[in-house]
Amino acid sequence: MNWITNYVRPKINSMLGRREVPENLWIKCPETGEMVFHRDLEENKWVIPASGYHMKMPAKARLRDLFDGGLYESLPQPKVAQDPLRFRDSKKYSDRLKDGRTKTELEDTIVAGLGTVKGVKLVAVVHEFNFMAGSLGIAAGEAIIKAFERAIAEKCPLVMFPASGGARMQEGILSLMQLPRTTVAVEMLKEAGLPYIVVLTNPTTGGVTASYAMLGDVHLAEPGAQIGFAGQRVIEQTIREKLPEGFQTSEYLYEHGMVDMVVKRHEIAETLARLLKILMKTPAVSETEQALELHEDLSAAAE
Amino acid sequence: MHHYLDFEKPISDLEGKIHELKKIASEDESIDTSEEVERLEARAREAMAEIYAKLTPWQKTQVARHPQRPHFVDYASRLFSEWTPLAGDRKFAEDAAIQAGLARFNGQPVALIGQEKGNDTKSRIQHNFGSARPEGYRKAIRVMEMAERFGLPIVTLIDTAGAYPGIGAEERGQAEAIARSTEMCLNVTVPIVSVIIGEGGSGGAIAIATGDRVYMLQHSIYSVISPEGAASILWRDSARAKEAATTMKITAEDLKGFGIVDGIIEEPVGGAHRDHEAVINRTGETIAAALADLLPVERATLRKNRREKYLAIGRSL
């Protein structure tokens, strides 16, 4: 190794684009320890086939998987102030942003798209957890607001897939301000008479749950996701006792009335489409089919 | 007994000496210490002015948390008449960490909401140190709804380290309660004037601080997480809170600079805890001026402006 290899290699890698083969060919199930080949995992929507454990799913893969035929219009990341606090902890925030961008090839944590899911037009907003733990800062807040505005313009529902550790500490109070800002966006959609569905994925905590993640008309949650306001370490330190088993999981939130249903990843698209068609008062599938058949019959008769 | 902060050592030394001199003079009439007392008092005033003119963010944090700082109840009793606290969220429980009710402000009927930390062991426990559970936020929502129905302006006074992190609070939907409370602030069409009087701690603060006008007392703090919490997350060492207080930019001046607060309410030299009356009166003047501006605005416009105000935050940084 010398300075040339250090310096040149990352550039060449970026020129070649993302490597086809991920670093971890075999992925271990966190629950059972079973090893799964990455391609098998990807084919099964990042759900471990044997145990049914829901691994975190990359945001772009989520959109491709969700939308019909994997096709959607990608919504742009709005330009926002970078590092307004000139923040530095053990590392400069600007470097953390750079690392996140290299790692995920995204500008920030929010990825949003417009497309159809089982025929229902909608805007989907997904947090990329790999980008600074999906944390909510100015960039994410602005991207979320723009996505809601787009849904309103398109007169279509918005589906949110949060996966976030909460507010982005490195943006201080400006990250806290994303709570009311995103809430304004949710209110605008609701006032336009359009449905807002939240699909809680692992993990969704802190400021994200204290705003748009808990304001859906309907809340779905993927099995076994960690969802809560306060961090478990903080709670343990405050009350000085061990937390009950399954605390802050999807199933726990379902039992306590915070989510409507726990839905396996394979059934999410269908569940969303069913709910949204009812909320948007779209004719039932069978009726549509009947109408189509009738139309064909009539056309045939006319000929 | 006055409670001195660690950086107030020069002041406490001088005031200690003054106290002793006064005691000597009162015990023995032949000794006249008045000249010396006057000299020391002048020096103490100087020291105080000097120290308080350049408080560090961590020192401000200490002032904001000072046990003798005026709390919600002090403002409620001095600035408002006919203060009538209401209780309970009608769903599960009463939560005294948040006080919410009806009152008059300069004769004008208002709804008043805020966190109370308590000022002795008993009342601190009663008010859970100002850290509300979901019931507190749901009570605030209830009172905001009522204010909306009867067209009463809302005044909120914020003083909390944050929402309470506990098992019960999580079970009963702490996050949802906070989200709904912020949502209610953004939905009402009556004016909301918010003042951070001590600590503005994260989601637990914003839930009732999403006002048309937001003010901060000069030495209050407002942040996404407490300096201790930030230090523990960012450095895995809560002892670095001092450093975090600076890095996180949590002072009134910082927030004014970001365009998040509309104004800073000046505190007496030596902090709000040294002159309750002065700081409470100034706060009253600020609230009165804000309400005078907001009350004539048409209700739908008021809400539209409020939403635009929040959407605009951070866009011109």
Side-chain angles (χ1 to χ4, degrees):
Chain A
M1 290 282 278
N2 57 40
W3 71 270
I4 295 178
T5 51
N6 275 332
Y7 184 72
V8 175
R9 264 189 64 195
K11 286 213 158 182
I12 290 174
N13 275 343
S14 68
M15 269 165 59
L16 290 171
R18 207 188 173 90
R19 276 163 300 171
E20 283 296 299
V21 184
E23 278 167 28
N24 303 318
L25 289 173
W26 291 87
I27 290 120
K28 194 173 168 184
C29 172
E31 219 166 53
T32 60
E34 182 199 354
M35 299 301 285
V36 184
F37 189 56
H38 74 97
R39 214 159 284 156
D40 295 339
L41 190 66
E42 284 175 28
E43 266 169 29
N44 201 38
K45 304 181 196 278
W46 277 262
V47 176
I48 308 274
S51 68
Y53 183 91
H54 284 55
M55 303 284 292
K56 291 186 185 82
M57 191 174 184
K60 281 193 171 163
R62 170 84 69 175
L63 289 182
R64 269 198 308 276
D65 178 64
L66 178 73
F67 285 118
D68 297 336
L71 295 173
Y72 61 94
E73 180 196 330
S74 181
L75 305 188
Q77 166 66 53
K79 287 269 163 265
V80 296
Q82 305 285 313
D83 194 11
L85 269 58
R86 296 211 188 108
F87 196 91
R88 168 178 207 139
D89 45 84
S90 55
K91 202 172 173 180
K92 275 195 211 156
Y93 174 42
S94 55
D95 288 341
R96 285 188 195 277
L97 284 173
K98 265 182 224 153
D99 291 353
R101 283 168 190 160
T102 312
K103 194 163 87 176
T104 63
E105 298 184 334
L106 297 173
E107 267 299 293
D108 208 281
T109 177
I110 293 295
V111 180
L114 170 71
T116 61
V117 175
K118 312 252 180 233
V120 182
K121 184 167 86 166
L122 57 84
V123 169
V125 179
V126 187
H127 276 252
E128 173 53 66
F129 190 80
N130 259 328
F131 194 104
M132 291 192 73
S135 55
L136 173 64
I138 303 172
E142 200 64 28
I144 289 168
I145 291 165
K146 292 291 170 207
F148 272 95
E149 285 176 352
R150 184 63 189 272
I152 295 165
E154 299 285 340
K155 297 189 176 58
C156 73
L158 189 142
V159 179
M160 174 74 64
F161 293 83
S164 173
R168 187 170 290 172
M169 304 289 119
Q170 292 83 355
E171 290 183 15
I173 191 75
L174 288 156
S175 68
L176 186 67
M177 289 302 131
Q178 306 314 313
L179 275 61
R181 295 186 80 233
T182 53
T183 304
V184 171
V186 173
E187 294 315 294
M188 295 190 308
L189 184 85
K190 286 185 178 174
E191 278 160 24
L194 298 164
Y196 172 45
I197 297 188
V198 182
V199 183
L200 297 150
T201 74
N202 186 42
T204 304
T205 58
V208 171
T209 55
S211 56
Y212 55 91
M214 279 291 151
L215 293 172
D217 292 306
V218 180
H219 293 167
L220 314 186
E222 288 193 339
Q226 193 207 329
I227 308 158
F229 177 63
Q232 304 211 343
R233 206 158 46 106
V234 178
I235 300 174
E236 277 182 339
Q237 281 167 5
T238 311
I239 61 171
R240 291 170 206 282
E241 51 181 284
K242 278 270 160 217
L243 296 171
E245 186 144 343
F247 181 65
Q248 291 183 331
T249 58
S250 302
E251 294 74 13
Y252 174 95
L253 264 82
Y254 171 77
E255 271 173 37
H256 288 94
M258 285 298 142
V259 305
D260 293 283
M261 53 193 110
V262 179
V263 184
K264 291 193 185 100
R265 197 169 285 161
H266 286 74
E267 290 157 17
I268 282 175
E270 194 227 306
T271 309
L272 286 173
R274 184 173 69 240
L275 287 167
L276 290 172
K277 280 176 183 168
I278 293 173
L279 290 171
M280 298 291 282
K281 301 196 196 89
T282 314
V285 178
S286 57
E287 280 176 37
T288 320
E289 278 168 0
Q290 278 171 6
L292 271 174
E293 276 168 28
L294 185 67
H295 177 76
E296 276 164 24
D297 288 350
L298 288 173
S299 314
E303 274 169 20
Chain B
M1 251 299 277
H2 188 83
H3 178 96
Y4 289 99
L5 299 166
D6 56 11
F7 61 86
E8 292 181 326
K9 183 94 176 33
I11 305 165
S12 77
D13 287 349
L14 287 164
E15 285 182 351
K17 274 184 204 154
I18 293 165
H19 183 75
E20 268 172 44
L21 288 172
K22 281 185 178 167
K23 204 172 146 204
I24 291 167
S26 71
E27 279 163 5
D28 187 342
E29 277 175 28
S30 64
I31 304 171
D32 181 14
T33 60
S34 60
E35 213 172 288
E36 181 66 3
V37 165
E38 240 167 67
R39 197 179 64 80
L40 289 176
E41 277 177 343
R43 269 182 61 196
R45 272 196 302 276
E46 263 169 43
M48 191 125 76
E50 208 174 293
I51 290 169
Y52 271 81
K54 45 179 188 194
L55 291 181
T56 66
W58 176 247
Q59 289 167 340
K60 279 181 187 268
T61 306
Q62 290 172 281
V63 176
R65 293 172 177 170
H66 196 288
Q68 283 153 344
R69 190 171 176 85
H71 286 165
F72 175 89
V73 290
D74 303 303
Y75 291 87
S77 61
R78 276 187 205 237
L79 279 186
F80 298 83
S81 58
E82 299 175 35
W83 161 232
T84 311
L86 301 175
D89 66 347
R90 300 293 184 271
K91 293 178 173 81
F92 182 75
E94 155 64 356
D95 179 357
I98 286 189
Q99 296 289 302
L102 303 172
R104 283 179 191 273
F105 177 75
N106 297 336
Q108 154 86 44
V110 298
L112 174 63
I113 302 172
Q115 288 103 350
E116 170 56 45
K117 285 182 168 179
N119 45 33
D120 55 30
T121 309
K122 201 179 147 216
S123 62
R124 279 183 196 122
I125 291 168
Q126 186 205 338
H127 294 287
N128 199 32
F129 302 82
S131 284
R133 298 181 168 94
E135 297 74 51
Y137 295 105
R138 292 188 179 126
K139 175 170 68 178
I141 293 168
R142 206 193 116 210
V143 171
M144 283 193 262
E145 255 171 5
M146 199 190 302
E148 173 71 8
R149 237 161 40 83
F150 294 96
L152 308 180
I154 302 166
V155 176
T156 67
L157 303 175
I158 291 89
D159 193 10
T160 182
Y164 185 68
I167 295 177
E170 292 290 319
E171 274 179 346
R172 299 192 299 278
Q174 184 73 289
E176 195 262 357
I178 291 171
R180 293 279 172 210
S181 187
T182 311
E183 185 186 43
M184 185 55 71
C185 289
L186 289 162
N187 277 343
V188 296
T189 58
V190 292
I192 308 181
V193 178
S194 305
V195 185
I196 317 291
I197 56 171
E199 274 183 282
S202 195
I206 195 81
I208 60 165
T210 309
D212 299 296
R213 296 284 162 82
V214 183
Y215 301 95
M216 280 178 82
L217 293 200
Q218 191 185 356
H219 303 312
S220 65
I221 58 165
Y222 192 6
S223 70
V224 67
I225 186 171
S226 70
E228 291 86 348
S232 130
I233 290 177
L234 298 169
W235 290 284
R236 306 241 157 234
D237 178 7
S238 58
R240 292 176 76 169
K242 249 185 211 184
E243 203 175 329
T246 309
T247 325
M248 300 289 292
K249 303 229 174 15
I250 60 175
T251 70
E253 251 171 63
D254 291 327
L255 269 80
K256 183 85 177 28
F258 291 135
I260 292 169
V261 300
D262 299 286
I264 300 173
I265 300 168
E266 209 184 308
E267 292 189 26
V269 175
H273 56 282
R274 285 200 163 80
D275 192 347
H276 284 201
E277 205 182 326
V279 78
I280 291 174
N281 287 343
R282 256 175 229 162
T283 305
E285 286 158 19
T286 307
I287 296 171
L291 284 179
D293 276 356
L294 297 168
L295 277 169
V297 182
E298 203 247 331
R299 286 177 67 168
T301 311
L302 199 64
R303 170 165 73 183
K304 187 172 154 276
N305 292 349
R306 187 184 312 131
R307 290 181 176 182
E308 277 167 10
K309 168 196 169 95
Y310 283 91
L311 287 180
I313 287 176
R315 277 186 177 160
S316 53
L317 287 176

